[in-house]
Amino acid sequence: MTARKIIIDTDPGQDDAVAILLALASPEEIEVLGITAVAGNVPLPLTQKNARIVCELAGKTDVPVYAGCDVPLSRKLVTAEHVHGKTGLDGPVLPDPSMPLTDGHAVDFIIHTLRAQDAGTVTLCPLGPLTNIATAFQKAPDIVDRVQEIVLMGGAYFQVGNITPAAEFNIYVDPEAAEITFKSGVPIVVMPLDVTHKALVTKPRNDAFRALGTKVGIAVAEMTDFFERFDKEKYGSVGAPLHDPCVTAYLIRPDLFTGRHINVEIETQSELTLGMTVADWWRVTDRAPNAMFMGDLDADGFFALLTERLAHL
Ligand code: BDR
Ligand code: CA
């Protein structure tokens, strides 16, 4: 099996960090061509730094990390320190990175990579607001048809919203970018809150990370220790939802997930429901399907995979 070439577009974020670690721990299935940082959970200077901290934690300092867009396409940036802490990676004490940022803009890296690689061989994995992806598509429309697939974390249907009553954070922060992405015609797989709220780090699952006894295992346990307090208070859930790792787990074990190929539109006008993913789950319109919208996962299988892979780092 040849490894699938991906670009991880991210705003780390503890759950982004775990998603990146899972990808870097799985070289047989995944080749990470680069990591592109975007403003989201925290501002860009922190997300690009956090991406490098995570690469160093994994011992993979040869992965290029690029800084991308520092504000959404046409709105003010909304951040989520209330969830992720001041640094975005609160929890473990991790050293400042010594690996440098790679020169150049993340958007140009995405464009260049899609042009340089064979058409249909590069998958984009957005784990934050879709600003970098949409900017690349606007700047270089020729790359759109060259993308193999977009596998992203964002949106919700049954869970509706987490940052507003109607919207999930990644889509809410840059709804115009999400609209461009969902209308691009690229095959899209969506991991919405409906799935990610089932990927909960229970106490035994967290104990299993810590029991690895490695730097990575302990850091992941400490990240989820920190990250869980928000969801426990808000939803009364048993632990932290590992939103973004659903994306990288899907690349390795798509059979862990089930969903429906449906139409998904993004609300960009209404103040009340801005950033809502209007998912035609029940197929009540004749709008053409544009996304594989996931609804369920095998949580035990997901955590078994994650723990097994983290042990490799
Ligand atoms: C998404 O928003 C961020 O807080 C997380 O990293 C995840 O990508 C969940 O709504
Ligand atoms: Ca994220």
Side-chain angles (χ1 to χ4, degrees), residues 65-127:
V65 175
Y66 294 86
C69 300
D70 59 357
V71 285
L73 294 187
S74 55
R75 293 177 190 272
K76 268 181 69 180
L77 177 65
V78 175
T79 53
E81 286 87 354
H82 60 294
V83 183
H84 300 275
K86 238 171 69 191
T87 66
L89 264 194
D90 279 20
V93 179
L94 296 167
D96 276 354
S98 48
M99 68 181 271
L101 259 184
T102 304
D103 285 344
H105 195 284
V107 166
D108 294 326
F109 169 72
I110 292 170
I111 293 170
H112 170 78
T113 306
L114 281 160
R115 285 179 178 159
Q117 300 283 337
D118 289 343
T121 63
V122 177
T123 295
L124 302 177
C125 298
L127 310 177

Side-chain angles (χ1 to χ4, degrees), residues 2 20 98 120 163 189 251 258 275:
T2 47
I20 294 167
S98 48
I163 185 77
V189 177
L251 301 174
T258 53

Side-chain angles (χ1 to χ4, degrees), residues 14 83-94 210 218-229:
Q14 293 87 351
V83 183
H84 300 275
K86 238 171 69 191
T87 66
L89 264 194
D90 279 20
V93 179
L94 296 167
R210 195 171 268 105
I218 293 166
V220 168
E222 290 176 353
M223 282 182 209
T224 54
D225 279 344
F226 178 86
F227 182 41
E228 71 174 13
R229 88 215 174 288

Side-chain angles (χ1 to χ4, degrees), residues 131-173:
T131 320
N132 285 342
I133 306 299
T135 306
F137 285 1
Q138 281 183 322
K139 197 170 169 190
D142 60 289
I143 64 170
V144 174
D145 286 346
R146 303 181 68 83
V147 180
Q148 179 178 357
E149 195 172 34
I150 296 173
V151 184
L152 67 87
M153 190 281 138
Y157 180 66
F158 294 98
Q159 292 280 312
V160 199
N162 61 356
I163 185 77
T164 74
E168 181 278 329
F169 179 79
N170 288 342
I171 306 296
Y172 177 76
V173 172

Side-chain angles (χ1 to χ4, degrees), residues 172-194:
Y172 177 76
V173 172
D174 200 342
E176 284 75 20
E179 185 180 42
I180 290 168
T181 306
F182 276 79
K183 284 195 184 310
S184 67
V186 175
I188 301 180
V189 177
V190 183
M191 296 294 167
L193 297 179
D194 309 311

Side-chain angles (χ1 to χ4, degrees), residues 19 37-38 44 149 168 182 217 237 242 244 246 256 264:
V38 68
L44 184 70
E149 195 172 34
E168 181 278 329
F182 276 79
S237 62
L242 287 188
D244 296 338
C246 290
L256 293 173
V264 180

Side-chain angles (χ1 to χ4, degrees), residues 252-280:
I252 305 166
R253 288 278 312 276
D255 59 298
L256 293 173
F257 300 86
T258 53
R260 294 186 180 188
H261 191 233
I262 57 170
N263 177 269
V264 180
E265 302 289 331
I266 311 296
E267 177 56 59
T268 60
Q269 302 298 320
S270 155
E271 246 178 67
L272 199 58
T273 58
L274 186 71
M276 187 173 192
T277 42
V278 181
D280 191 4

